Structure formats: C-alpha cells, structure tokens
Amino acid sequence: MKLLVVNVNTTESMTQTIAESARSVAAPGTEIIGLTPAFGAESVEGNFESYLAAIAVMDAVVSYEGDFDAVIQAGYGEHGREGLQELLDVPVVDITEAAAFMACLLGHKYSVVTTLDRTVPLIEDRLTLAGVSSRCASVRSSGLSVLELEEDPELAVKAIVAEAEKAVREDKAEVICLGCGGMAGLDAAVREAAGVPVVDGVTAAVKLAESLVGLGLSTSKVRTYAPPRPKQVKGWPLSR
C-alpha cells in the first residue's frame, strides 16, 4: 500500500517531519511518500494562503508520477480536500477530520489546540463542514506560528500543554487534537503532560487511510464528488 502525504506549505523540512510521523504508525508494507507543493507559502496561516495551498496540493498530487492507494492532506483546517476527492478515485483523508473522528471515539467532547488565533475560525468552519462541530468543546490558540513549532519544539509543547490544560479544566474537553500538521510527533509529550488522550491528525489520517484501502472503500462518485466535467482549464496544473 502506498500513501501520499501532502504538506500544504512549501517548507521541505516540515514535509519530512510529517512523513516521519506518518511512518511511525504505518503498518508493515505501507509506504509513505511525503510531497511538498511546487508553489505556495512557506507556512499556511490564513485564508489567502489556504486557498493557494488547495491548488498547490492538487497540483502536487496530479503531477505525481506513479501509482498510489490513498492521499492524506496534511494541513489542519485548510481548504482543498473536496477538490482532491473529485479528481481522484482513491480515498482522500484530511488530517482535520481524521483527528476529530478519532477524538469522537475517545471522549464526549474534544478541543483543538492550534497555532495563531487567526487560524481558529478556519478550523471551526472545517469542523462544521465535516459535521463534528457539536462535539468540539473549543478551538484554542497556542500563540505560536507554524514555523515556530519547528524552531523550538520544547517551547511548542509547553504552549500546547498550557492551552490543553485550560481546555480540559475550563471547556470540559476530554480529548485534545493537535491542530497543525507541524505539530506531528508532539502528541506523546502533550499527552503525558496534559493527562488526557491526544490525537495527532497525521497519524490518525494514516490509520484511517489504511482502513479505507483495506476495506476496498473510496469516495462516492454519484453526486457531490463526481469527476470534474470535461472542459478546457488554462494554465493548470502549473508544474507540468
């Protein structure tokens, strides 16, 4: 089984971190391929960058030379998953939804701890669209930028834990979701400090993708995610 794990930003080192986190839980025989978009922002922290990333991720996937069994979009709260589902015949799993789905199996309410406060509304919107917002106790900001997560992991864990503890104490959350692909690999440290289950969207997405492939299931093509109608599209994909 081969899974494409696509970073939403152009920071190659973050792609490698995300891919390594994915490999840490992948089943024997599952190959993880990390992809970095050919264009876009170095970090995605707002609507403009998110819409740009949606095109960049689709471009990276359709330009990939080789077969694959599923795609993981490794951007928390980002746009674009629906476009990939139209373009592809294999399962597409977004880490935002994957984390929330897993969290709903572990407790009555979950909270998300993300990066900057400006990303909170984007995440809330994506959770609403996925139909899991009623189980979300809160979406909290750690105050760190995406790139700061990579620059100082120890500081990142402290900031995430501080908000996770508030979510448990004040918002009555029972599970914490790490609200950024750049937080991949931090779940164990946060879990130990916060004392509640902590779900990393990247690893959750890997296990969900493996399950879908193993069950022979993929996106319905009957209506919403039917393939795009044949027509001329100028200038895209850009990397070809």
mmCIF file of all heavy atoms in Angstrom, residues 95-140:
data_model
loop_
_atom_site.group_PDB
_atom_site.id
_atom_site.type_symbol
_atom_site.label_atom_id
_atom_site.label_comp_id
_atom_site.label_asym_id
_atom_site.label_seq_id
_atom_site.Cartn_x
_atom_site.Cartn_y
_atom_site.Cartn_z
ATOM 1 N N ILE A 95 -6.382 15.718 7.583
ATOM 2 C CA ILE A 95 -5.996 15.494 8.979
ATOM 3 C C ILE A 95 -6.927 16.180 9.969
ATOM 4 O O ILE A 95 -7.044 15.738 11.109
ATOM 5 C CB ILE A 95 -4.533 15.905 9.239
ATOM 6 C CG1 ILE A 95 -4.315 17.413 9.109
ATOM 7 C CG2 ILE A 95 -3.581 15.130 8.331
ATOM 8 C CD1 ILE A 95 -2.939 17.884 9.582
ATOM 9 N N THR A 96 -7.606 17.237 9.554
ATOM 10 C CA THR A 96 -8.551 17.927 10.443
ATOM 11 C C THR A 96 -9.682 16.985 10.825
ATOM 12 O O THR A 96 -10.013 16.808 12.004
ATOM 13 C CB THR A 96 -9.139 19.165 9.752
ATOM 14 O OG1 THR A 96 -8.110 19.869 9.084
ATOM 15 C CG2 THR A 96 -9.853 20.056 10.741
ATOM 16 N N GLU A 97 -10.270 16.389 9.826
ATOM 17 C CA GLU A 97 -11.394 15.488 10.041
ATOM 18 C C GLU A 97 -10.940 14.196 10.700
ATOM 19 O O GLU A 97 -11.635 13.658 11.570
ATOM 20 C CB GLU A 97 -12.078 15.218 8.708
ATOM 21 C CG GLU A 97 -12.660 16.487 8.099
ATOM 22 C CD GLU A 97 -13.037 16.321 6.637
ATOM 23 O OE1 GLU A 97 -12.889 15.209 6.100
ATOM 24 O OE2 GLU A 97 -13.482 17.310 6.033
ATOM 25 N N ALA A 98 -9.771 13.692 10.295
ATOM 26 C CA ALA A 98 -9.264 12.453 10.872
ATOM 27 C C ALA A 98 -9.087 12.578 12.379
ATOM 28 O O ALA A 98 -9.479 11.694 13.149
ATOM 29 C CB ALA A 98 -7.944 12.066 10.210
ATOM 30 N N ALA A 99 -8.494 13.690 12.813
ATOM 31 C CA ALA A 99 -8.293 13.902 14.247
ATOM 32 C C ALA A 99 -9.624 13.986 14.984
ATOM 33 O O ALA A 99 -9.792 13.390 16.058
ATOM 34 C CB ALA A 99 -7.482 15.170 14.471
ATOM 35 N N ALA A 100 -10.569 14.719 14.421
ATOM 36 C CA ALA A 100 -11.872 14.877 15.070
ATOM 37 C C ALA A 100 -12.626 13.562 15.142
ATOM 38 O O ALA A 100 -13.236 13.236 16.175
ATOM 39 C CB ALA A 100 -12.695 15.928 14.333
ATOM 40 N N PHE A 101 -12.609 12.794 14.055
ATOM 41 C CA PHE A 101 -13.305 11.498 14.053
ATOM 42 C C PHE A 101 -12.733 10.583 15.125
ATOM 43 O O PHE A 101 -13.473 9.916 15.847
ATOM 44 C CB PHE A 101 -13.186 10.828 12.684
ATOM 45 C CG PHE A 101 -13.899 11.549 11.577
ATOM 46 C CD1 PHE A 101 -13.485 11.415 10.263
ATOM 47 C CD2 PHE A 101 -14.988 12.373 11.832
ATOM 48 C CE1 PHE A 101 -14.127 12.074 9.230
ATOM 49 C CE2 PHE A 101 -15.642 13.041 10.805
ATOM 50 C CZ PHE A 101 -15.212 12.885 9.503
ATOM 51 N N MET A 102 -11.405 10.534 15.223
ATOM 52 C CA MET A 102 -10.769 9.698 16.236
ATOM 53 C C MET A 102 -11.123 10.195 17.633
ATOM 54 O O MET A 102 -11.419 9.402 18.535
ATOM 55 C CB MET A 102 -9.252 9.715 16.052
ATOM 56 C CG MET A 102 -8.746 8.930 14.872
ATOM 57 S SD MET A 102 -8.932 7.159 15.136
ATOM 58 C CE MET A 102 -7.951 6.532 13.766
ATOM 59 N N ALA A 103 -11.094 11.511 17.826
ATOM 60 C CA ALA A 103 -11.379 12.082 19.140
ATOM 61 C C ALA A 103 -12.796 11.747 19.598
ATOM 62 O O ALA A 103 -13.034 11.522 20.786
ATOM 63 C CB ALA A 103 -11.180 13.593 19.112
ATOM 64 N N CYS A 104 -13.725 11.722 18.650
ATOM 65 C CA CYS A 104 -15.122 11.415 18.996
ATOM 66 C C CYS A 104 -15.287 9.984 19.511
ATOM 67 O O CYS A 104 -16.267 9.685 20.195
ATOM 68 C CB CYS A 104 -16.020 11.645 17.784
ATOM 69 S SG CYS A 104 -16.302 13.389 17.392
ATOM 70 N N LEU A 105 -14.332 9.123 19.204
ATOM 71 C CA LEU A 105 -14.372 7.747 19.703
ATOM 72 C C LEU A 105 -13.757 7.617 21.090
ATOM 73 O O LEU A 105 -13.865 6.564 21.721
ATOM 74 C CB LEU A 105 -13.625 6.816 18.732
ATOM 75 C CG LEU A 105 -14.154 6.742 17.296
ATOM 76 C CD1 LEU A 105 -13.229 5.874 16.449
ATOM 77 C CD2 LEU A 105 -15.568 6.180 17.273
ATOM 78 N N LEU A 106 -13.116 8.683 21.554
ATOM 79 C CA LEU A 106 -12.345 8.610 22.795
ATOM 80 C C LEU A 106 -12.937 9.398 23.955
ATOM 81 O O LEU A 106 -12.532 9.200 25.101
ATOM 82 C CB LEU A 106 -10.915 9.106 22.535
ATOM 83 C CG LEU A 106 -10.133 8.364 21.460
ATOM 84 C CD1 LEU A 106 -8.804 9.059 21.201
ATOM 85 C CD2 LEU A 106 -9.917 6.916 21.847
ATOM 86 N N GLY A 107 -13.860 10.288 23.664
ATOM 87 C CA GLY A 107 -14.453 11.103 24.730
ATOM 88 C C GLY A 107 -15.692 11.820 24.235
ATOM 89 O O GLY A 107 -15.978 11.865 23.031
ATOM 90 N N HIS A 108 -16.439 12.392 25.172
ATOM 91 C CA HIS A 108 -17.684 13.076 24.816
ATOM 92 C C HIS A 108 -17.419 14.370 24.061
ATOM 93 O O HIS A 108 -18.119 14.702 23.107
ATOM 94 C CB HIS A 108 -18.490 13.368 26.081
ATOM 95 C CG HIS A 108 -19.759 14.111 25.838
ATOM 96 N ND1 HIS A 108 -20.797 13.589 25.084
ATOM 97 C CD2 HIS A 108 -20.171 15.349 26.227
ATOM 98 C CE1 HIS A 108 -21.783 14.466 25.031
ATOM 99 N NE2 HIS A 108 -21.430 15.541 25.703
ATOM 100 N N LYS A 109 -16.412 15.124 24.501
ATOM 101 C CA LYS A 109 -16.060 16.394 23.869
ATOM 102 C C LYS A 109 -14.550 16.449 23.649
ATOM 103 O O LYS A 109 -13.773 15.934 24.457
ATOM 104 C CB LYS A 109 -16.468 17.583 24.750
ATOM 105 C CG LYS A 109 -17.973 17.795 24.887
ATOM 106 C CD LYS A 109 -18.523 18.594 23.714
ATOM 107 C CE LYS A 109 -19.982 18.975 23.948
ATOM 108 N NZ LYS A 109 -20.509 19.842 22.867
ATOM 109 N N TYR A 110 -14.147 17.093 22.559
ATOM 110 C CA TYR A 110 -12.723 17.288 22.294
ATOM 111 C C TYR A 110 -12.459 18.774 22.078
ATOM 112 O O TYR A 110 -13.364 19.540 21.750
ATOM 113 C CB TYR A 110 -12.281 16.503 21.047
ATOM 114 C CG TYR A 110 -12.873 17.003 19.751
ATOM 115 C CD1 TYR A 110 -12.224 17.969 18.981
ATOM 116 C CD2 TYR A 110 -14.105 16.523 19.299
ATOM 117 C CE1 TYR A 110 -12.772 18.443 17.803
ATOM 118 C CE2 TYR A 110 -14.663 16.988 18.120
ATOM 119 C CZ TYR A 110 -13.992 17.950 17.375
ATOM 120 O OH TYR A 110 -14.546 18.425 16.209
ATOM 121 N N SER A 111 -11.232 19.164 22.285
ATOM 122 C CA SER A 111 -10.788 20.518 21.965
ATOM 123 C C SER A 111 -9.593 20.439 21.024
ATOM 124 O O SER A 111 -8.832 19.465 21.047
ATOM 125 C CB SER A 111 -10.392 21.301 23.222
ATOM 126 O OG SER A 111 -11.519 21.746 23.935
ATOM 127 N N VAL A 112 -9.438 21.465 20.227
ATOM 128 C CA VAL A 112 -8.307 21.575 19.308
ATOM 129 C C VAL A 112 -7.376 22.657 19.829
ATOM 130 O O VAL A 112 -7.830 23.744 20.210
ATOM 131 C CB VAL A 112 -8.779 21.944 17.882
ATOM 132 C CG1 VAL A 112 -7.587 22.115 16.946
ATOM 133 C CG2 VAL A 112 -9.738 20.893 17.348
ATOM 134 N N VAL A 113 -6.080 22.366 19.858
ATOM 135 C CA VAL A 113 -5.079 23.389 20.163
ATOM 136 C C VAL A 113 -4.278 23.623 18.894
ATOM 137 O O VAL A 113 -3.639 22.708 18.375
ATOM 138 C CB VAL A 113 -4.157 22.976 21.315
ATOM 139 C CG1 VAL A 113 -3.123 24.082 21.572
ATOM 140 C CG2 VAL A 113 -4.960 22.703 22.577
ATOM 141 N N THR A 114 -4.337 24.851 18.399
ATOM 142 C CA THR A 114 -3.724 25.164 17.118
ATOM 143 C C THR A 114 -2.609 26.201 17.283
ATOM 144 O O THR A 114 -2.048 26.357 18.372
ATOM 145 C CB THR A 114 -4.794 25.623 16.108
ATOM 146 O OG1 THR A 114 -4.196 25.763 14.820
ATOM 147 C CG2 THR A 114 -5.442 26.932 16.527
ATOM 148 N N THR A 115 -2.297 26.890 16.220
ATOM 149 C CA THR A 115 -1.177 27.846 16.211
ATOM 150 C C THR A 115 -1.685 29.249 16.514
ATOM 151 O O THR A 115 -2.059 29.545 17.631
ATOM 152 C CB THR A 115 -0.460 27.782 14.851
ATOM 153 O OG1 THR A 115 -1.439 27.937 13.786
ATOM 154 C CG2 THR A 115 0.257 26.457 14.682
ATOM 155 N N LEU A 116 -1.699 30.135 15.523
ATOM 156 C CA LEU A 116 -2.124 31.518 15.730
ATOM 157 C C LEU A 116 -3.638 31.628 15.836
ATOM 158 O O LEU A 116 -4.383 30.833 15.259
ATOM 159 C CB LEU A 116 -1.630 32.387 14.572
ATOM 160 C CG LEU A 116 -0.106 32.444 14.372
ATOM 161 C CD1 LEU A 116 0.218 33.315 13.162
ATOM 162 C CD2 LEU A 116 0.590 32.967 15.616
ATOM 163 N N ASP A 117 -4.096 32.660 16.521
ATOM 164 C CA ASP A 117 -5.534 32.849 16.725
ATOM 165 C C ASP A 117 -6.285 33.048 15.418
ATOM 166 O O ASP A 117 -7.454 32.672 15.309
ATOM 167 C CB ASP A 117 -5.761 34.055 17.650
ATOM 168 C CG ASP A 117 -7.226 34.271 17.962
ATOM 169 O OD1 ASP A 117 -7.831 33.401 18.625
ATOM 170 O OD2 ASP A 117 -7.778 35.296 17.533
ATOM 171 N N ARG A 118 -5.634 33.614 14.406
ATOM 172 C CA ARG A 118 -6.312 33.872 13.140
ATOM 173 C C ARG A 118 -6.735 32.584 12.435
ATOM 174 O O ARG A 118 -7.598 32.616 11.553
ATOM 175 C CB ARG A 118 -5.428 34.703 12.209
ATOM 176 C CG ARG A 118 -4.154 34.013 11.756
ATOM 177 C CD ARG A 118 -3.386 34.880 10.766
ATOM 178 N NE ARG A 118 -4.149 35.089 9.536
ATOM 179 C CZ ARG A 118 -3.922 36.074 8.679
ATOM 180 N NH1 ARG A 118 -2.985 36.967 8.931
ATOM 181 N NH2 ARG A 118 -4.639 36.181 7.576
ATOM 182 N N THR A 119 -6.131 31.445 12.806
ATOM 183 C CA THR A 119 -6.499 30.179 12.172
ATOM 184 C C THR A 119 -7.712 29.526 12.825
ATOM 185 O O THR A 119 -8.283 28.586 12.264
ATOM 186 C CB THR A 119 -5.327 29.190 12.203
ATOM 187 O OG1 THR A 119 -5.049 28.809 13.562
ATOM 188 C CG2 THR A 119 -4.079 29.798 11.596
ATOM 189 N N VAL A 120 -8.100 30.018 13.999
ATOM 190 C CA VAL A 120 -9.212 29.403 14.726
ATOM 191 C C VAL A 120 -10.506 29.381 13.914
ATOM 192 O O VAL A 120 -11.166 28.340 13.814
ATOM 193 C CB VAL A 120 -9.420 30.099 16.090
ATOM 194 C CG1 VAL A 120 -10.722 29.643 16.745
ATOM 195 C CG2 VAL A 120 -8.239 29.806 17.012
ATOM 196 N N PRO A 121 -10.929 30.505 13.297
ATOM 197 C CA PRO A 121 -12.170 30.460 12.517
ATOM 198 C C PRO A 121 -12.123 29.480 11.347
ATOM 199 O O PRO A 121 -13.141 28.861 11.022
ATOM 200 C CB PRO A 121 -12.322 31.911 12.014
ATOM 201 C CG PRO A 121 -11.561 32.734 12.987
ATOM 202 C CD PRO A 121 -10.397 31.886 13.374
ATOM 203 N N LEU A 122 -10.963 29.346 10.709
ATOM 204 C CA LEU A 122 -10.842 28.398 9.597
ATOM 205 C C LEU A 122 -11.082 26.979 10.083
ATOM 206 O O LEU A 122 -11.791 26.199 9.432
ATOM 207 C CB LEU A 122 -9.460 28.491 8.948
ATOM 208 C CG LEU A 122 -9.222 29.602 7.928
ATOM 209 C CD1 LEU A 122 -9.107 30.966 8.610
ATOM 210 C CD2 LEU A 122 -7.949 29.318 7.124
ATOM 211 N N ILE A 123 -10.503 26.648 11.234
ATOM 212 C CA ILE A 123 -10.679 25.307 11.788
ATOM 213 C C ILE A 123 -12.126 25.083 12.205
ATOM 214 O O ILE A 123 -12.708 24.021 11.933
ATOM 215 C CB ILE A 123 -9.727 25.091 12.973
ATOM 216 C CG1 ILE A 123 -8.280 25.053 12.476
ATOM 217 C CG2 ILE A 123 -10.063 23.810 13.734
ATOM 218 C CD1 ILE A 123 -7.253 25.053 13.569
ATOM 219 N N GLU A 124 -12.722 26.076 12.839
ATOM 220 C CA GLU A 124 -14.127 25.942 13.236
ATOM 221 C C GLU A 124 -15.011 25.699 12.021
ATOM 222 O O GLU A 124 -15.938 24.870 12.074
ATOM 223 C CB GLU A 124 -14.572 27.200 13.980
ATOM 224 C CG GLU A 124 -13.922 27.363 15.350
ATOM 225 C CD GLU A 124 -14.258 28.680 16.015
ATOM 226 O OE1 GLU A 124 -14.603 29.646 15.294
ATOM 227 O OE2 GLU A 124 -14.170 28.767 17.263
ATOM 228 N N ASP A 125 -14.745 26.401 10.930
ATOM 229 C CA ASP A 125 -15.535 26.218 9.710
ATOM 230 C C ASP A 125 -15.376 24.806 9.147
ATOM 231 O O ASP A 125 -16.352 24.182 8.707
ATOM 232 C CB ASP A 125 -15.125 27.237 8.651
ATOM 233 C CG ASP A 125 -15.631 28.644 8.955
ATOM 234 O OD1 ASP A 125 -16.465 28.782 9.865
ATOM 235 O OD2 ASP A 125 -15.189 29.584 8.268
ATOM 236 N N ARG A 126 -14.131 24.296 9.139
ATOM 237 C CA ARG A 126 -13.895 22.959 8.585
ATOM 238 C C ARG A 126 -14.547 21.885 9.458
ATOM 239 O O ARG A 126 -15.065 20.882 8.947
ATOM 240 C CB ARG A 126 -12.402 22.692 8.444
ATOM 241 C CG ARG A 126 -11.665 23.619 7.495
ATOM 242 C CD ARG A 126 -12.263 23.654 6.100
ATOM 243 N NE ARG A 126 -12.125 22.384 5.396
ATOM 244 C CZ ARG A 126 -12.539 22.188 4.149
ATOM 245 N NH1 ARG A 126 -13.125 23.165 3.476
ATOM 246 N NH2 ARG A 126 -12.383 21.024 3.578
ATOM 247 N N LEU A 127 -14.535 22.074 10.760
ATOM 248 C CA LEU A 127 -15.180 21.108 11.646
ATOM 249 C C LEU A 127 -16.691 21.119 11.454
ATOM 250 O O LEU A 127 -17.347 20.071 11.501
ATOM 251 C CB LEU A 127 -14.825 21.407 13.103
ATOM 252 C CG LEU A 127 -13.351 21.225 13.485
ATOM 253 C CD1 LEU A 127 -13.123 21.681 14.923
ATOM 254 C CD2 LEU A 127 -12.901 19.784 13.295
ATOM 255 N N THR A 128 -17.254 22.308 11.235
ATOM 256 C CA THR A 128 -18.686 22.405 10.953
ATOM 257 C C THR A 128 -19.019 21.697 9.651
ATOM 258 O O THR A 128 -20.000 20.940 9.572
ATOM 259 C CB THR A 128 -19.123 23.878 10.884
ATOM 260 O OG1 THR A 128 -18.895 24.502 12.146
ATOM 261 C CG2 THR A 128 -20.597 23.996 10.532
ATOM 262 N N LEU A 129 -18.222 21.927 8.634
ATOM 263 C CA LEU A 129 -18.443 21.290 7.340
ATOM 264 C C LEU A 129 -18.350 19.767 7.445
ATOM 265 O O LEU A 129 -19.085 19.046 6.763
ATOM 266 C CB LEU A 129 -17.425 21.806 6.326
ATOM 267 C CG LEU A 129 -17.631 21.419 4.865
ATOM 268 C CD1 LEU A 129 -18.952 21.994 4.343
ATOM 269 C CD2 LEU A 129 -16.467 21.910 4.020
ATOM 270 N N ALA A 130 -17.468 19.301 8.312
ATOM 271 C CA ALA A 130 -17.301 17.850 8.484
ATOM 272 C C ALA A 130 -18.379 17.232 9.360
ATOM 273 O O ALA A 130 -18.461 16.004 9.477
ATOM 274 C CB ALA A 130 -15.928 17.573 9.091
ATOM 275 N N GLY A 131 -19.203 18.067 10.002
ATOM 276 C CA GLY A 131 -20.287 17.560 10.826
ATOM 277 C C GLY A 131 -19.868 17.132 12.220
ATOM 278 O O GLY A 131 -20.586 16.386 12.884
ATOM 279 N N VAL A 132 -18.714 17.617 12.686
ATOM 280 C CA VAL A 132 -18.232 17.199 14.010
ATOM 281 C C VAL A 132 -18.094 18.371 14.978
ATOM 282 O O VAL A 132 -17.496 18.231 16.045
ATOM 283 C CB VAL A 132 -16.877 16.458 13.892
ATOM 284 C CG1 VAL A 132 -17.072 15.096 13.252
ATOM 285 C CG2 VAL A 132 -15.870 17.287 13.107
ATOM 286 N N SER A 133 -18.657 19.515 14.629
ATOM 287 C CA SER A 133 -18.506 20.693 15.482
ATOM 288 C C SER A 133 -19.290 20.572 16.788
ATOM 289 O O SER A 133 -18.910 21.179 17.804
ATOM 290 C CB SER A 133 -18.934 21.956 14.734
ATOM 291 O OG SER A 133 -20.288 21.863 14.325
ATOM 292 N N SER A 134 -20.373 19.805 16.795
ATOM 293 C CA SER A 134 -21.178 19.684 18.018
ATOM 294 C C SER A 134 -20.427 18.956 19.131
ATOM 295 O O SER A 134 -20.768 19.095 20.306
ATOM 296 C CB SER A 134 -22.486 18.949 17.728
ATOM 297 O OG SER A 134 -22.245 17.618 17.333
ATOM 298 N N ARG A 135 -19.404 18.221 18.770
ATOM 299 C CA ARG A 135 -18.597 17.504 19.762
ATOM 300 C C ARG A 135 -17.342 18.281 20.146
ATOM 301 O O ARG A 135 -16.552 17.808 20.957
ATOM 302 C CB ARG A 135 -18.200 16.122 19.216
ATOM 303 C CG ARG A 135 -19.367 15.209 18.847
ATOM 304 C CD ARG A 135 -20.016 14.590 20.060
ATOM 305 N NE ARG A 135 -19.131 13.683 20.757
ATOM 306 C CZ ARG A 135 -18.944 12.399 20.411
ATOM 307 N NH1 ARG A 135 -19.596 11.896 19.370
ATOM 308 N NH2 ARG A 135 -18.136 11.627 21.121
ATOM 309 N N CYS A 136 -17.162 19.459 19.542
ATOM 310 C CA CYS A 136 -15.969 20.261 19.799
ATOM 311 C C CYS A 136 -16.229 21.236 20.944
ATOM 312 O O CYS A 136 -17.088 22.108 20.839
ATOM 313 C CB CYS A 136 -15.548 21.015 18.544
ATOM 314 S SG CYS A 136 -14.039 21.983 18.740
ATOM 315 N N ALA A 137 -15.484 21.104 22.019
ATOM 316 C CA ALA A 137 -15.652 21.992 23.164
ATOM 317 C C ALA A 137 -15.050 23.360 22.901
ATOM 318 O O ALA A 137 -15.577 24.376 23.360
ATOM 319 C CB ALA A 137 -15.008 21.366 24.404
ATOM 320 N N SER A 138 -13.934 23.397 22.166
ATOM 321 C CA SER A 138 -13.273 24.673 21.894
ATOM 322 C C SER A 138 -12.152 24.466 20.888
ATOM 323 O O SER A 138 -11.662 23.350 20.693
ATOM 324 C CB SER A 138 -12.689 25.274 23.177
ATOM 325 O OG SER A 138 -11.733 24.400 23.758
ATOM 326 N N VAL A 139 -11.768 25.565 20.248
ATOM 327 C CA VAL A 139 -10.555 25.612 19.439
ATOM 328 C C VAL A 139 -9.700 26.712 20.043
ATOM 329 O O VAL A 139 -10.095 27.883 20.065
ATOM 330 C CB VAL A 139 -10.840 25.905 17.957
ATOM 331 C CG1 VAL A 139 -9.531 25.935 17.164
ATOM 332 C CG2 VAL A 139 -11.796 24.867 17.371
ATOM 333 N N ARG A 140 -8.535 26.344 20.566
ATOM 334 C CA ARG A 140 -7.685 27.280 21.292
ATOM 335 C C ARG A 140 -6.388 27.537 20.533
ATOM 336 O O ARG A 140 -5.844 26.648 19.887
ATOM 337 C CB ARG A 140 -7.364 26.751 22.694
ATOM 338 C CG ARG A 140 -8.543 26.831 23.656
ATOM 339 C CD ARG A 140 -8.160 26.297 25.034
ATOM 340 N NE ARG A 140 -9.137 26.689 26.046
ATOM 341 C CZ ARG A 140 -9.082 27.794 26.760
ATOM 342 N NH1 ARG A 140 -8.073 28.641 26.573
ATOM 343 N NH2 ARG A 140 -10.001 28.075 27.660
#
